[in-house]
Amino acid sequence: MKLKLYNPLKRCVVTQGFGFANTSPDMLEKYRAMGLSAHNGVDYFAIDGTPVYASHNGRVIFAGYDGAGGLGVVIRTTEEFELDGKISLAKSIYWHLKRGSLCVTGGQEVKRGDKIGEADNTGFSTGSHLHFGLKPIAKGENDWTYINLNQEGYNGAIDPTPYFVKFQNEMKRGDQSQDVRDLQEFLKTIGFFNVTPTGYYGVITAQSVLSFQLKYCTLSWYERFVMKGSKVGEKTLSALNTLYE
C-alpha cells in the first residue's frame, strides 16, 4: 500500500520545494555547505504560531532541538508502505517549530491531524515557516538515525509531494472553494459531472456526488435518501483518493 500523507497545515502554500530544480538559487550554496545537493524537504509559508499537525498516524521518535532544524518533531509510521519504489517504514519531519509549543513527546502515539506544535523560526531559518521532510527507513536502521543510509545527496530524504492525497477536506452543499472545483474537475474526468466546474457545491454537484457514491461507496439509507450527495465525508474522500491514484 502506498503511503498517504495529509497536509501538516490547514492552509499549505509552498515557498520552496524539494530538490535542485525547486531550490532557491540564493540558498543553494548554503545547502551544499551543509553537505546537501539542494533543499531536502518542502517549505510551507507559516506565520509565527501557526498550528502544525501530524501528516499521518504513527509514533513520535523525536521531539526536541536540532542545530539546523531548531525545535522539531519526527514521526515514524508503525507499518510498512510502498515508498520510493520499496516497501519500508517511513518518517515525517517537522522543523523550525516554536519554543514551548510542542504538544507531543518521544514515544507518544499520534493520529493524522493531531496538533504537534506551532510554526516559528528556530534553527537555521531566514523567516517563520514549516520545513516538512520525508525519509524511508531502511531495514535495520535505528529510529534515531538522522542521516539515513540511502542518502543520494539529501541525507536520505525523498520528495514528499507525490505522497500527499488529493482530496483531504470534507465538503458540503453551499461551499465555494478550490477544493470543490477540484472535486468537480475530477468527477467530470470520470464521467459524473457534465457542466463547467465553478467551485460552488450546488444541486448539480450534489447529484454528481450521489451518483459517484452509489457506484463506489456503501451508503446507509440515510445517506442515500436524505443526504442525497449533499456532503463529501471520509467515506467518499477515501473512494475519490483511491480512484485518483
Side-chain angles (χ1 to χ4, degrees):
M1 177 169 50
K2 182 181 176 181
L3 176 68
K4 294 181 179 180
L5 298 176
Y6 288 77
N7 291 337
L9 304 173
K10 290 295 186 185
R11 180 173 179 268
C12 283
V13 176
V14 176
T15 56
Q16 185 174 214
F18 180 95
F20 178 80
N22 298 302
T23 299
S24 300
D26 59 329
M27 293 295 294
L28 194 56
E29 289 306 314
K30 295 178 182 178
Y31 290 127
R32 287 176 173 170
M34 299 167 65
L36 298 171
S37 298
H39 191 224
N40 70 338
V42 175
D43 285 348
Y44 294 106
F45 171 79
I47 62 173
D48 182 5
T50 300
V52 177
Y53 304 94
S55 190
H56 58 86
N57 299 340
R59 178 179 298 116
V60 176
I61 57 174
F62 178 83
Y65 282 91
D66 167 81
L71 186 63
V73 171
V74 180
I75 302 172
R76 177 177 66 79
T77 61
T78 53
E79 56 183 310
E80 294 183 329
F81 293 93
E82 179 186 335
L83 194 67
D84 199 31
K86 305 178 181 67
I87 303 298
S88 69
L89 296 168
K91 57 186 177 184
S92 56
I93 301 160
Y94 313 75
W95 287 135
H96 310 305
L97 303 184
K98 186 180 182 70
R99 290 180 176 86
S101 75
L102 292 193
C103 306
V104 295
T105 58
Q108 180 178 337
E109 298 283 342
V110 295
K111 296 291 186 182
R112 182 253 297 179
D114 286 349
K115 182 180 176 182
I116 60 174
E118 298 175 0
D120 193 22
N121 192 29
T122 55
F124 179 65
S125 171
T126 57
S128 182
H129 73 287
L130 172 68
H131 173 95
F132 180 87
L134 177 67
K135 293 183 179 183
I137 300 176
K139 296 291 185 183
E141 202 165 62
N142 295 317
D143 280 349
W144 55 85
T145 300
Y146 175 69
I147 301 177
N148 291 45
L149 296 178
N150 300 320
Q151 295 187 45
E152 299 178 352
Y154 297 99
N155 287 344
I158 61 173
D159 186 357
T161 306
Y163 300 94
F164 282 100
V165 300
K166 176 65 174 178
F167 301 101
Q168 301 194 20
N169 301 314
E170 293 189 354
M171 293 165 269
K172 64 183 185 303
R173 188 169 170 176
D175 287 349
Q176 185 160 8
S177 66
Q178 184 61 47
D179 285 340
V180 175
R181 181 182 289 274
D182 290 343
L183 170 68
Q184 293 168 337
E185 290 176 347
F186 182 59
L187 289 176
K188 187 170 185 176
T189 299
I190 59 177
F192 289 96
F193 192 79
N194 57 11
V195 297
T196 302
T198 63
Y200 176 71
Y201 198 138
V203 174
I204 295 174
T205 302
Q207 292 171 341
S208 300
V209 168
L210 179 59
S211 296
F212 174 85
Q213 291 172 331
L214 289 171
K215 182 170 183 178
Y216 291 106
C217 304
T218 302
L219 299 181
S220 66
W221 180 91
Y222 183 81
E223 290 168 331
R224 182 189 294 256
F225 297 107
V226 179
M227 296 299 293
K228 295 181 180 179
S230 62
K231 181 180 179 181
V232 173
E234 285 293 330
K235 187 187 301 183
T236 309
L237 291 171
S238 178
L240 286 166
N241 284 316
T242 298
L243 283 180
Y244 188 82
E245 293 176 0

